Coordinates of all heavy atoms in Angstrom, one line a residue:
I250 N 106.8 114.2 140.7 CA 106.5 115.3 139.8 C 107.6 115.5 138.8 O 108.7 115.5 139.2 CB 106.3 116.6 140.7 CG1 105.1 116.4 141.6 CG2 106.0 117.8 139.8 CD1 104.9 117.5 142.6
V251 N 107.2 115.7 137.6 CA 108.1 115.9 136.5 C 107.9 117.2 135.9 O 106.7 117.6 135.5 CB 108.0 114.8 135.4 CG1 108.9 115.0 134.2 CG2 108.2 113.4 136.0
A252 N 108.9 118.0 135.8 CA 108.8 119.4 135.3 C 108.7 119.4 133.8 O 108.1 120.4 133.2 CB 109.9 120.3 135.7
G253 N 109.2 118.4 133.1 CA 109.2 118.4 131.6 C 108.5 117.2 131.1 O 107.4 116.8 131.6
R254 N 109.1 116.6 130.2 CA 108.5 115.4 129.6 C 109.1 114.1 130.2 O 110.3 114.1 130.5 CB 108.8 115.3 128.1 CG 108.2 116.5 127.3 CD 108.8 116.7 126.0 NE 108.7 115.6 125.1 CZ 109.5 115.3 124.1 NH1 110.5 116.1 123.8 NH2 109.3 114.2 123.4
L255 N 108.3 113.1 130.3 CA 108.8 111.8 130.8 C 108.7 110.8 129.6 O 107.6 110.5 129.1 CB 107.9 111.3 132.0 CG 108.3 110.0 132.6 CD1 109.7 110.1 133.1 CD2 107.4 109.6 133.7
I256 N 109.9 110.4 129.2 CA 110.0 109.6 128.0 C 110.6 108.2 128.3 O 111.5 108.1 129.0 CB 110.9 110.4 127.0 CG1 110.3 111.7 126.6 CG2 111.1 109.5 125.7 CD1 111.2 112.6 125.9
N257 N 109.9 107.2 127.7 CA 110.4 105.9 127.8 C 110.8 105.4 126.4 O 109.9 105.2 125.5 CB 109.3 104.9 128.4 CG 109.7 103.5 128.3 OD1 110.8 103.1 128.7 ND2 108.8 102.6 127.9
C258 N 112.1 105.2 126.1 CA 112.5 104.6 124.8 C 112.7 103.1 125.1 O 113.4 102.8 126.1 CB 113.8 105.3 124.4 SG 113.6 107.0 123.9
Y259 N 112.1 102.3 124.3 CA 112.2 100.9 124.6 C 112.5 100.1 123.3 O 112.3 100.5 122.2 CB 110.9 100.4 125.2 CG 109.7 100.4 124.3 CD1 109.4 99.3 123.5 CD2 109.0 101.6 124.1 CE1 108.3 99.3 122.7 CE2 107.9 101.6 123.3 CZ 107.5 100.5 122.6 OH 106.5 100.5 121.7
S260 N 113.1 98.9 123.6 CA 113.4 98.0 122.5 C 113.2 96.5 123.0 O 113.9 96.2 124.0 CB 114.8 98.1 121.9 OG 115.1 97.1 121.0
Q261 N 112.4 95.8 122.4 CA 112.2 94.4 122.8 C 113.4 93.5 122.4 O 113.6 92.4 122.8 CB 110.9 93.8 122.2 CG 109.7 94.5 122.8 CD 108.4 94.0 122.2 OE1 108.4 93.5 121.1 NE2 107.3 94.2 122.9
K262 N 114.3 94.1 121.6 CA 115.5 93.4 121.2 C 116.7 93.5 122.2 O 117.7 92.9 122.0 CB 116.0 94.0 119.8 CG 115.0 93.8 118.7 CD 115.6 94.5 117.5 CE 114.6 94.4 116.3 NZ 115.1 95.2 115.2
D263 N 116.5 94.3 123.2 CA 117.6 94.5 124.2 C 117.6 93.4 125.2 O 116.8 93.3 126.1 CB 117.3 95.8 125.0 CG 118.4 96.2 125.9 OD1 119.2 95.4 126.3 OD2 118.6 97.4 126.1
L264 N 118.5 92.4 124.9 CA 118.6 91.2 125.7 C 119.1 91.4 127.1 O 118.7 90.7 128.0 CB 119.4 90.2 125.0 CG 118.9 89.7 123.6 CD1 119.9 88.7 123.0 CD2 117.5 89.1 123.7
I265 N 119.9 92.4 127.3 CA 120.4 92.8 128.7 C 119.2 93.2 129.6 O 119.0 92.7 130.7 CB 121.4 93.9 128.7 CG1 122.7 93.4 127.9 CG2 121.8 94.3 130.1 CD1 123.4 92.3 128.5
L266 N 118.4 94.1 129.1 CA 117.2 94.5 129.8 C 116.2 93.4 130.0 O 115.5 93.2 131.0 CB 116.5 95.7 129.2 CG 117.3 97.0 129.4 CD1 116.5 98.2 128.7 CD2 117.6 97.3 130.8
S267 N 116.1 92.5 128.9 CA 115.2 91.4 129.0 C 115.6 90.4 130.1 O 114.8 89.9 130.9 CB 115.1 90.7 127.7 OG 114.5 91.5 126.7
L268 N 116.9 90.2 130.2 CA 117.5 89.4 131.3 C 117.2 90.0 132.6 O 116.8 89.3 133.6 CB 119.0 89.2 131.1 CG 119.7 88.4 132.2 CD1 119.1 86.9 132.2 CD2 121.2 88.4 131.9
M269 N 117.3 91.3 132.8 CA 117.0 92.0 134.0 C 115.5 91.8 134.3 O 115.2 91.6 135.5 CB 117.3 93.5 133.9 CG 118.8 93.8 133.8 SD 119.8 93.2 135.2 CE 119.2 94.3 136.4
F270 N 114.7 91.8 133.3 CA 113.2 91.6 133.6 C 113.0 90.2 134.1 O 112.2 90.0 135.1 CB 112.5 91.7 132.3 CG 111.0 91.3 132.3 CD1 110.1 91.9 133.2 CD2 110.6 90.2 131.6 CE1 108.8 91.4 133.3 CE2 109.3 89.7 131.7 CZ 108.4 90.3 132.6
Q271 N 113.7 89.2 133.6 CA 113.5 87.8 134.1 C 114.0 87.7 135.6 O 113.3 87.1 136.4 CB 114.3 86.8 133.2 CG 113.8 86.7 131.8 CD 112.3 86.3 131.7 OE1 111.8 85.6 132.6 NE2 111.6 86.8 130.7
I272 N 115.1 88.3 135.9 CA 115.6 88.3 137.3 C 114.6 89.1 138.2 O 114.2 88.6 139.3 CB 117.0 89.0 137.4 CG1 118.0 88.0 136.7 CG2 117.4 89.2 138.8 CD1 119.3 88.7 136.4
H273 N 114.1 90.2 137.7 CA 113.1 91.0 138.4 C 111.8 90.2 138.7 O 111.3 90.2 139.7 CB 112.8 92.3 137.6 CG 112.0 93.3 138.2 ND1 112.4 94.1 139.3 CD2 110.7 93.7 137.9 CE1 111.4 94.9 139.6 NE2 110.4 94.7 138.8
R274 N 111.4 89.5 137.6 CA 110.2 88.7 137.7 C 110.3 87.6 138.7 O 109.4 87.2 139.5 CB 109.8 88.2 136.4 CG 108.3 87.7 136.3 CD 108.0 87.3 135.0 NE 108.5 85.9 134.8 CZ 108.3 85.2 133.7 NH1 107.8 85.7 132.7 NH2 108.8 84.0 133.7
L275 N 111.5 87.0 138.8 CA 111.8 85.9 139.7 C 111.7 86.4 141.2 O 111.4 85.6 142.1 CB 113.1 85.2 139.5 CG 113.2 84.4 138.2 CD1 114.6 83.9 137.9 CD2 112.3 83.2 138.3
S276 N 112.0 87.6 141.4 CA 111.9 88.2 142.7 C 110.5 88.5 143.1 O 110.3 89.0 144.2 CB 112.8 89.5 142.8 OG 112.2 90.5 142.1
G277 N 109.5 88.2 142.3 CA 108.1 88.4 142.6 C 107.4 89.6 142.0 O 106.2 89.8 142.1
A278 N 108.2 90.4 141.3 CA 107.6 91.6 140.6 C 107.0 91.1 139.2 O 107.7 90.4 138.5 CB 108.6 92.7 140.4
L279 N 105.8 91.5 138.9 CA 105.2 91.1 137.7 C 105.2 92.1 136.6 O 104.9 91.9 135.4 CB 103.8 90.6 137.9 CG 103.7 89.4 138.9 CD1 102.2 89.1 139.1 CD2 104.4 88.2 138.3
R280 N 105.6 93.4 136.9 CA 105.6 94.4 135.9 C 106.9 94.3 135.1 O 108.0 94.0 135.6 CB 105.5 95.8 136.6 CG 104.2 96.0 137.2 CD 104.1 97.4 137.8 NE 105.2 97.6 138.7 CZ 105.1 98.2 139.9 NH1 104.0 98.5 140.3 NH2 106.2 98.3 140.7
P281 N 106.8 94.6 133.8 CA 108.0 94.6 133.0 C 109.0 95.7 133.4 O 108.7 96.7 133.9 CB 107.5 94.8 131.5 CG 106.1 95.1 131.6 CD 105.6 95.0 133.0
V282 N 110.3 95.5 133.0 CA 111.3 96.4 133.3 C 111.2 97.6 132.3 O 111.1 97.3 131.1 CB 112.7 95.8 133.2 CG1 113.8 96.8 133.4 CG2 112.8 94.7 134.3
C283 N 111.4 98.8 132.7 CA 111.3 99.9 131.8 C 112.4 99.8 130.8 O 113.5 99.4 131.1 CB 111.6 101.2 132.7 SG 111.4 102.7 131.7
G284 N 112.1 100.1 129.5 CA 113.1 99.9 128.5 C 112.8 98.7 127.6 O 113.4 98.6 126.5
T285 N 111.9 97.8 128.1 CA 111.6 96.6 127.3 C 110.3 96.6 126.7 O 109.9 95.8 125.8 CB 111.8 95.3 128.1 OG1 110.8 95.4 129.2 CG2 113.2 95.2 128.7
S286 N 109.4 97.6 127.1 CA 108.1 97.7 126.6 C 107.5 99.1 126.9 O 108.1 99.8 127.7 CB 107.2 96.6 127.2 OG 107.1 96.8 128.6
P287 N 106.4 99.4 126.3 CA 105.8 100.7 126.6 C 105.3 100.8 128.1 O 105.0 99.7 128.6 CB 104.6 100.8 125.7 CG 104.7 99.7 124.7 CD 105.6 98.7 125.3
V288 N 105.4 102.0 128.6 CA 104.9 102.2 130.0 C 103.5 102.8 129.8 O 103.4 103.9 129.3 CB 105.8 103.1 130.8 CG1 105.2 103.5 132.1 CG2 107.2 102.5 130.9
L289 N 102.5 102.1 130.2 CA 101.1 102.5 130.0 C 100.6 103.3 131.1 O 99.7 102.9 131.9 CB 100.2 101.3 129.7 CG 100.7 100.4 128.5 CD1 99.8 99.2 128.3 CD2 100.7 101.3 127.2
V290 N 101.2 104.5 131.3 CA 100.8 105.5 132.4 C 100.6 106.8 131.7 O 101.4 107.2 130.8 CB 102.0 105.6 133.4 CG1 101.6 106.6 134.4 CG2 102.2 104.2 134.1
K291 N 99.5 107.5 132.1 CA 99.2 108.8 131.5 C 100.4 109.7 131.7 O 100.9 109.8 132.8 CB 97.9 109.3 132.2 CG 97.5 110.6 131.6 CD 96.2 111.1 132.3 CE 95.9 112.5 131.7 NZ 94.7 113.1 132.3
G292 N 100.7 110.4 130.7 CA 101.8 111.4 130.7 C 103.2 110.9 130.3 O 104.1 111.6 130.0
V293 N 103.3 109.6 130.1 CA 104.6 109.0 129.6 C 104.5 108.9 128.1 O 103.6 108.3 127.6 CB 104.8 107.6 130.3 CG1 106.1 107.0 129.7 CG2 104.9 107.7 131.8
E294 N 105.6 109.4 127.5 CA 105.7 109.3 126.0 C 106.5 108.0 125.7 O 107.7 107.9 126.2 CB 106.4 110.5 125.4 CG 105.6 111.8 125.6 CD 106.4 113.0 125.1 OE1 107.0 112.9 124.0 OE2 106.5 114.0 125.8
N295 N 106.0 107.1 124.9 CA 106.7 105.9 124.6 C 107.2 105.9 123.2 O 106.5 106.3 122.3 CB 105.8 104.7 124.8 CG 105.4 104.5 126.2 OD1 106.3 104.0 127.0 ND2 104.2 104.7 126.6
Y296 N 108.5 105.6 123.0 CA 109.1 105.5 121.7 C 109.7 104.1 121.5 O 110.6 103.8 122.3 CB 110.2 106.6 121.5 CG 109.6 108.0 121.4 CD1 109.4 108.8 122.5 CD2 109.4 108.5 120.2 CE1 108.9 110.0 122.4 CE2 108.8 109.8 120.0 CZ 108.6 110.6 121.2 OH 108.1 111.8 121.1
N297 N 109.3 103.4 120.5 CA 109.9 102.1 120.2 C 111.1 102.4 119.3 O 111.0 102.8 118.2 CB 108.9 101.3 119.4 CG 109.4 99.9 119.2 OD1 110.6 99.6 119.4 ND2 108.5 99.0 118.7
V298 N 112.3 102.1 119.9 CA 113.5 102.3 119.2 C 114.1 101.0 118.7 O 115.3 100.9 118.3 CB 114.6 103.1 120.0 CG1 114.1 104.5 120.3 CG2 114.9 102.3 121.3
G299 N 113.3 99.9 118.6 CA 113.7 98.6 118.2 C 114.2 98.6 116.8 O 115.0 97.7 116.4
S300 N 113.8 99.5 115.9 CA 114.3 99.6 114.5 C 115.8 100.0 114.5 O 116.4 99.7 113.5 CB 113.4 100.5 113.7 OG 113.5 101.8 114.1
I301 N 116.3 100.7 115.5 CA 117.7 101.1 115.5 C 118.5 100.5 116.6 O 119.7 100.7 116.6 CB 117.8 102.7 115.5 CG1 117.1 103.2 116.8 CG2 117.2 103.3 114.3 CD1 117.3 104.7 116.9
I302 N 117.9 99.8 117.5 CA 118.6 99.2 118.6 C 118.5 97.7 118.5 O 117.4 97.1 118.5 CB 118.0 99.6 120.0 CG1 118.1 101.1 120.2 CG2 118.6 98.8 121.1 CD1 119.6 101.6 120.3
S303 N 119.6 97.0 118.3 CA 119.5 95.5 118.2 C 120.2 94.9 119.4 O 120.0 93.7 119.6 CB 120.2 95.0 116.9 OG 121.5 95.4 116.9
S304 N 120.9 95.7 120.2 CA 121.5 95.2 121.4 C 121.7 96.4 122.4 O 121.6 97.5 122.0 CB 122.8 94.5 121.2 OG 123.8 95.4 120.8
H305 N 121.9 96.0 123.7 CA 122.0 97.1 124.7 C 123.1 98.1 124.4 O 123.0 99.3 124.6 CB 122.2 96.5 126.0 CG 122.0 97.4 127.2 ND1 120.8 97.9 127.5 CD2 122.9 97.9 128.0 CE1 120.9 98.7 128.6 NE2 122.2 98.7 128.9
S306 N 124.2 97.5 123.8 CA 125.4 98.4 123.5 C 125.1 99.4 122.4 O 125.9 100.3 122.2 CB 126.6 97.5 123.2 OG 126.4 96.7 122.1
D307 N 124.1 99.2 121.6 CA 123.8 100.1 120.5 C 123.4 101.5 121.0 O 123.5 102.5 120.3 CB 122.7 99.6 119.6 CG 123.1 98.4 118.8 OD1 124.3 98.2 118.6 OD2 122.2 97.7 118.3
Y308 N 122.9 101.6 122.3 CA 122.5 102.9 122.8 C 123.6 103.9 122.7 O 123.3 105.1 122.4 CB 121.9 102.8 124.2 CG 120.5 102.2 124.2 CD1 120.3 100.9 124.6 CD2 119.4 102.9 123.9 CE1 119.0 100.3 124.6 CE2 118.1 102.4 123.9 CZ 117.9 101.1 124.3 OH 116.7 100.6 124.3
C309 N 124.8 103.5 123.0 CA 125.9 104.5 123.1 C 126.2 105.1 121.7 O 126.7 106.2 121.6 CB 127.2 103.9 123.7 SG 127.8 102.5 123.0
T310 N 125.9 104.4 120.6 CA 126.2 104.9 119.3 C 125.0 105.6 118.6 O 125.1 106.2 117.6 CB 126.7 103.8 118.3 OG1 125.8 102.7 118.3 CG2 128.1 103.3 118.8
T311 N 123.8 105.3 119.2 CA 122.6 105.9 118.6 C 121.9 106.9 119.4 O 120.8 107.4 119.1 CB 121.6 104.8 118.3 OG1 121.3 104.1 119.5 CG2 122.1 103.8 117.2
T312 N 122.5 107.3 120.5 CA 121.9 108.3 121.4 C 121.6 109.6 120.7 O 120.5 110.1 120.9 CB 122.8 108.6 122.6 OG1 123.1 107.4 123.3 CG2 122.2 109.6 123.6
G313 N 122.4 110.1 119.9 CA 122.2 111.4 119.2 C 120.9 111.2 118.3 O 120.1 112.1 118.3
H314 N 120.8 110.1 117.6 CA 119.7 109.9 116.7 C 118.4 109.8 117.6 O 117.4 110.3 117.2 CB 119.9 108.6 115.9 CG 118.7 108.3 115.0 ND1 118.4 109.0 113.9 CD2 117.8 107.3 115.1 CE1 117.3 108.5 113.4 NE2 117.0 107.4 114.1
I315 N 118.5 109.1 118.7 CA 117.3 108.9 119.5 C 116.9 110.3 120.1 O 115.7 110.6 120.1 CB 117.6 107.9 120.7 CG1 117.7 106.5 120.1 CG2 116.5 108.0 121.7 CD1 118.2 105.5 121.1
L316 N 117.8 111.1 120.5 CA 117.5 112.4 121.0 C 116.8 113.3 120.0 O 115.9 114.0 120.3 CB 118.7 113.1 121.6 CG 119.3 112.5 122.9 CD1 120.6 113.2 123.3 CD2 118.3 112.6 124.0
R317 N 117.3 113.2 118.7 CA 116.6 113.9 117.7 C 115.2 113.4 117.4 O 114.2 114.1 117.2 CB 117.4 113.9 116.4 CG 118.6 114.8 116.4 CD 119.3 114.9 115.0 NE 119.9 113.6 114.6 CZ 121.0 113.1 115.0 NH1 121.8 113.8 115.8 NH2 121.5 111.9 114.5
M318 N 115.1 112.0 117.5 CA 113.8 111.4 117.3 C 112.7 111.8 118.3 O 111.6 111.9 117.9 CB 114.0 109.9 117.3 CG 112.8 109.1 117.0 SD 113.1 107.3 117.0 CE 112.8 106.9 118.7
I319 N 113.1 112.0 119.5 CA 112.2 112.4 120.6 C 112.1 113.9 120.7 O 111.4 114.4 121.7 CB 112.5 111.7 121.9 CG1 113.9 112.3 122.5 CG2 112.5 110.2 121.8 CD1 114.1 111.8 123.9
Y320 N 112.7 114.6 119.8 CA 112.7 116.1 119.9 C 113.3 116.7 121.1 O 112.7 117.6 121.7 CB 111.2 116.6 119.7 CG 110.5 116.1 118.5 CD1 109.5 115.1 118.6 CD2 110.8 116.6 117.2 CE1 108.9 114.6 117.5 CE2 110.1 116.1 116.1 CZ 109.2 115.1 116.3 OH 108.5 114.6 115.2
H321 N 114.4 116.1 121.6 CA 115.0 116.6 122.8 C 115.5 118.0 122.6 O 116.0 118.4 121.6 CB 116.3 115.7 123.1 CG 117.0 116.2 124.3 ND1 118.1 117.0 124.3 CD2 116.8 116.0 125.7 CE1 118.5 117.3 125.5 NE2 117.7 116.7 126.3
G322 N 115.2 118.9 123.6 CA 115.6 120.3 123.6 C 114.6 121.2 122.8 O 114.8 122.4 122.7
C323 N 113.6 120.6 122.2 CA 112.6 121.3 121.5 C 111.3 121.4 122.3 O 111.0 120.4 122.9 CB 112.3 120.7 120.1 SG 113.8 120.5 119.1
P324 N 110.5 122.4 122.1 CA 109.2 122.4 122.7 C 108.4 121.2 122.0 O 108.7 120.9 120.9 CB 108.6 123.7 122.3 CG 109.7 124.6 121.9 CD 110.8 123.7 121.4
H325 N 107.6 120.6 122.8 CA 106.9 119.4 122.2 C 105.9 119.9 121.1 O 104.9 120.5 121.4 CB 106.1 118.7 123.4 CG 105.4 117.4 122.9 ND1 106.1 116.4 122.3 CD2 104.1 117.1 122.8 CE1 105.3 115.4 122.0 NE2 104.1 115.8 122.3
R326 N 106.3 119.6 119.9 CA 105.5 119.9 118.7 C 105.6 118.7 117.8 O 106.5 118.5 117.0 CB 106.1 121.1 118.0 CG 106.0 122.4 118.8 CD 106.5 123.5 118.0 NE 107.6 123.1 117.2 CZ 108.5 124.0 116.6 NH1 108.3 125.2 116.7 NH2 109.5 123.5 115.9
P327 N 104.6 117.8 117.9 CA 104.7 116.6 117.1 C 104.7 116.9 115.6 O 105.1 116.0 114.8 CB 103.4 115.8 117.5 CG 103.0 116.4 118.8 CD 103.5 117.8 118.8
S328 N 104.3 118.0 115.2 CA 104.3 118.4 113.8 C 105.6 118.9 113.3 O 105.8 119.1 112.1 CB 103.2 119.4 113.5 OG 103.4 120.6 114.2
A329 N 106.6 119.1 114.2 CA 107.9 119.6 113.8 C 108.6 118.6 112.9 O 108.4 117.4 113.0 CB 108.7 120.0 115.0
T330 N 109.5 119.1 112.1 CA 110.3 118.3 111.2 C 111.7 118.2 111.8 O 112.4 119.2 112.1 CB 110.4 118.8 109.8 OG1 109.1 119.0 109.3 CG2 111.3 118.0 108.9
I331 N 112.2 116.9 112.0 CA 113.5 116.7 112.5 C 114.4 116.2 111.3 O 114.0 115.3 110.6 CB 113.6 115.6 113.6 CG1 112.7 116.1 114.8 CG2 115.0 115.3 114.0 CD1 113.2 117.3 115.5
V332 N 115.5 116.9 111.1 CA 116.4 116.5 110.0 C 117.5 115.6 110.5 O 118.2 115.9 111.5 CB 117.0 117.8 109.4 CG1 118.0 117.4 108.3 CG2 116.0 118.7 108.9
V333 N 117.5 114.4 109.9 CA 118.5 113.4 110.3 C 119.6 113.5 109.3 O 119.4 113.5 108.1 CB 117.9 112.0 110.3 CG1 119.0 111.0 110.7 CG2 116.8 111.9 111.3
P334 N 120.9 113.6 109.7 CA 122.0 113.8 108.8 C 122.0 112.6 107.8 O 121.7 111.5 108.2 CB 123.3 113.7 109.7 CG 122.8 114.1 111.0 CD 121.4 113.7 111.1
S335 N 122.4 112.9 106.6 CA 122.4 111.8 105.5 C 123.4 110.7 105.8 O 123.3 109.6 105.3 CB 122.7 112.4 104.2 OG 123.9 113.1 104.2
D336 N 124.4 111.0 106.6 CA 125.5 110.0 106.9 C 125.0 109.0 108.0 O 125.7 108.1 108.3 CB 126.8 110.6 107.3 CG 126.7 111.5 108.6 OD1 125.6 111.9 108.9 OD2 127.7 111.7 109.2
F337 N 123.8 109.2 108.6 CA 123.3 108.3 109.6 C 122.3 107.4 108.9 O 121.4 107.8 108.2 CB 122.6 109.0 110.7 CG 122.1 108.1 111.8 CD1 123.0 107.6 112.8 CD2 120.9 107.5 111.7 CE1 122.6 106.7 113.7 CE2 120.5 106.6 112.7 CZ 121.3 106.2 113.7
S338 N 122.5 106.1 109.1 CA 121.6 105.1 108.6 C 121.4 104.1 109.7 O 122.3 103.6 110.3 CB 122.2 104.5 107.3 OG 121.4 103.4 107.0
S339 N 120.1 103.6 109.9 CA 119.9 102.6 110.8 C 120.5 101.3 110.4 O 120.6 100.4 111.2 CB 118.4 102.4 111.1 OG 117.7 102.1 109.9
D340 N 120.8 101.2 109.1 CA 121.5 99.9 108.6 C 122.9 99.8 109.1 O 123.5 98.7 109.1 CB 121.5 99.9 107.1 CG 120.1 99.9 106.5 OD1 119.2 99.4 107.2 OD2 119.9 100.3 105.4
D341 N 123.5 100.9 109.6 CA 124.9 100.9 110.1 C 125.0 100.2 111.4 O 126.1 99.8 111.8 CB 125.4 102.3 110.2 CG 125.6 103.0 108.8 OD1 125.6 102.3 107.8 OD2 125.7 104.2 108.8
A342 N 123.9 100.1 112.1 CA 123.9 99.6 113.5 C 124.2 98.1 113.5 O 124.0 97.4 112.6 CB 122.6 99.8 114.2

């Protein structure tokens, strides 16, 4: 049971998680590892962060941007406007 939102941010460019998927798959599990693809389960919000994540280590520098992107701390209102600071650019990653 989840009291709030269940969010999956994923990037197919994350080679660390992709490697974990391959190890996981060799152990007999056929489902992808969370974080490498959307989770197709009712109630899970999926966000593709591949445009700002090019490697697993990028998460530590882009966490703030991702939290703004998923409206963290805000009531879920898809029509809300999130202001991203002008000094942040996905090209910097």
Side-chain angles (χ1 to χ4, degrees):
I250 297 175
V251 176
R254 298 164 58 203
L255 183 56
I256 299 170
N257 174 46
C258 293
Y259 67 94
S260 171
Q261 294 177 339
K262 298 177 186 176
D263 188 333
L264 297 180
I265 298 294
L266 288 180
S267 294
L268 177 63
M269 294 298 292
F270 168 66
Q271 294 301 328
I272 293 169
H273 186 69
R274 197 175 81 179
L275 288 173
S276 68
L279 297 177
R280 292 184 304 228
V282 174
C283 186
T285 60
S286 63
V288 174
L289 303 177
V290 175
K291 183 178 178 183
V293 176
E294 296 177 43
N295 291 290
Y296 288 88
N297 184 351
V298 294
S300 64
I301 58 175
I302 299 294
S303 59
S304 70
H305 192 71
S306 61
D307 289 343
Y308 283 104
C309 58
T310 58
T311 58
T312 301
H314 177 69
I315 292 171
L316 290 173
R317 285 187 297 277
M318 185 178 85
I319 66 170
Y320 306 104
H321 179 263
C323 302
H325 184 60
R326 296 183 320 196
S328 61
T330 301
I331 299 297
V332 177
V333 177
S335 61
D336 62 336
F337 183 85
S338 170
S339 62
D340 296 335
D341 293 341

